[in-house]
Amino acid sequence: MGDQRKEAFDKARSLSEAEKADEALEAIAEYTNVEAPEYTVDEMQTLNICITEKVTSAGFDDKKDACNQCIELLDGVKMMKDSLFLELYCESMYEVFSKMSRAVRDEEREQVWNKCKELFYELMLAAKKVWRDKNMPGGLTIYLNFAKLCKSYLDVADEDSFKMCESMAQEAKFLGKGQLEDEDWKDANKMIETIKKAIADARHDKELIDDSS
């Protein structure tokens, strides 16, 4: 079974890199279409490649369906206590929900946003066990991507989500450089400022929408 599984994921990666997203996902369907799927880091990397190809290659008329298919693949995945695994999962999430924001109908946006929040909250809980200090770039990346999605979905995004991102940025800033290397702190500080700006912009634009309605 182990060899068959590895062969399936290797095949999926090759197919995806050949821009055959549907065939790639079909190759691993036996392992992805299960409740609470578990993946190794290598498998998550392959799934990330497949998902990126799927949502990127889909035409406008097919974009929403492609994103929904990928959301189903990400929903319920068992979080592995591994930094690279969580980074790959986060990358997949951002790729899917950012593409979905431009394809979904207005009346569906709140439902999509609620699913986005649900999955990101699970990711954030897992991240706390991997990046214990709030100034670590890996953990901040998750909040940065969520903050950017807050801006993409600002018409339906909620104040609690805004505050959660702001709070993380403030706590990371307060913690300062700590034990980080100079380059890591430089990256972290840049992410902190980007998170703050994304939320400030989202809140401002949301207020303009509310005032005009």
Side-chain angles (χ1 to χ4, degrees):
M1 177 64 74
D3 289 342
Q4 289 180 347
R5 182 175 177 123
K6 185 179 185 306
E7 288 174 6
F9 275 88
D10 287 346
K11 180 181 179 181
R13 181 178 294 219
S14 296
L15 287 167
S16 188
E17 290 173 346
E19 300 182 355
K20 298 178 180 179
D22 289 334
E23 292 178 43
L25 290 173
E26 182 61 31
I28 53 175
E30 176 184 352
Y31 309 105
T32 58
N33 295 339
V34 297
E35 187 175 350
E38 297 184 39
Y39 303 114
T40 65
V41 173
D42 285 345
E43 289 171 352
M44 189 65 230
Q45 190 169 47
T46 296
L47 187 60
N48 173 267
I49 292 169
C50 293
I51 284 174
T52 300
E53 175 60 27
K54 177 67 177 177
V55 298
T56 302
S57 63
F60 180 78
D61 292 339
D62 300 321
K63 188 75 73 178
K64 187 177 76 169
D65 288 342
C67 290
N68 275 325
Q69 182 181 349
C70 292
I71 289 171
E72 289 180 7
L73 290 172
L74 293 167
D75 192 2
V77 169
K78 184 174 181 180
M79 295 293 106
M80 187 177 180
K81 293 180 182 178
D82 180 274
S83 58
L84 180 55
F85 181 96
L86 297 183
E87 287 168 4
L88 289 165
Y89 183 84
C90 181
E91 185 179 306
S92 295
M93 290 260 286
Y94 180 76
E95 191 71 31
V96 172
F97 282 104
S98 61
K99 295 287 193 301
M100 180 65 111
S101 72
R102 298 189 288 272
V104 70
R105 295 197 302 267
D106 288 349
E107 61 270 24
E108 299 170 319
R109 289 178 65 79
E110 186 169 3
Q111 181 180 359
V112 172
W113 172 247
N114 287 336
K115 174 55 70 174
C116 177
K117 282 196 304 180
E118 176 190 330
L119 297 184
F120 260 94
Y121 288 172
E122 291 297 320
L123 176 58
M124 289 168 181
L125 288 174
K128 289 179 180 179
K129 300 175 183 178
V130 174
W131 295 286
R132 296 189 180 277
D133 291 332
K134 295 183 178 180
N135 62 349
M136 299 182 77
L140 282 169
T141 298
I142 293 171
Y143 285 84
L144 173 59
N145 283 331
F146 188 60
K148 290 191 290 187
L149 289 171
C150 282
K151 189 174 180 181
S152 296
Y153 290 88
L154 64 90
D155 54 317
V156 290
D158 52 284
E159 183 64 22
D160 285 346
S161 295
F162 292 168
K163 288 181 178 178
M164 184 171 60
C165 293
E166 286 178 326
S167 176
M168 182 64 174
Q170 289 168 359
E171 290 179 33
K173 188 75 171 181
F174 178 78
L175 193 58
K177 181 175 181 292
Q179 297 181 347
L180 293 177
E181 298 291 336
D182 289 345
E183 197 62 32
D184 287 339
W185 171 237
K186 181 179 178 182
D187 291 341
N189 200 43
K190 183 177 180 180
M191 281 189 272
I192 289 168
E193 296 306 317
T194 305
I195 290 170
K196 289 163 63 177
K197 185 178 187 307
I199 296 302
D201 289 347
R203 183 179 280 117
H204 176 262
D205 291 346
K206 187 176 181 68
E207 288 172 354
L208 291 178
I209 292 174
D210 292 342
D211 289 344
S212 64
S213 61

